[in-house]
Amino acid sequence: MNKHEIHGGARYVGGKVEKAVGDAVGSRDWQVDGVVDQVAGGAENLFGRTQSIAADIADTTPHLIDTAREKAGEAADRSVDAARRGVDTVRDAVRGQDKAVIWASAAAIAGFALGWLVNGRRA
């Protein structure tokens, strides 16, 4: 709690008392002053509470940033590992160690060329 929360709460309670006294003695001025103090005290209390929440967020934010940075680093490391595995797979296929990939690539290229020739003759 900060000073605004405490002062606002006290002013709100004081306004309640002032309004109750005004109701008891029939004084319209005391009633109005009590309601004004209640509203002002509630607003000041809310302002103080907002300050406290903002301070809590400011205290928590560095931890969240560090956590996000760690997660991003881990994701980048996983991406680099996946890319290296992909490069190794392609390198092995190019070197002829994985003949199925080479035959599939050759079949795809041949199919594309055949399709292009057939469509080219229709035009």
Side-chain angles (χ1 to χ4, degrees), residues 38-87:
Q38 283 179 357
V39 171
E44 186 173 1
N45 183 277
L46 182 62
F47 173 72
R49 185 69 190 128
T50 303
Q51 280 184 327
S52 294
I53 291 170
D56 291 344
I57 290 171
D59 291 342
T60 304
T61 302
H63 172 69
L64 293 175
I65 291 170
D66 290 342
T67 302
R69 186 175 295 137
E70 289 173 13
K71 298 281 184 189
E74 291 169 4
D77 291 342
R78 287 192 305 268
S79 297
V80 167
D81 290 341
R84 284 186 180 142
R85 284 192 305 271
V87 166

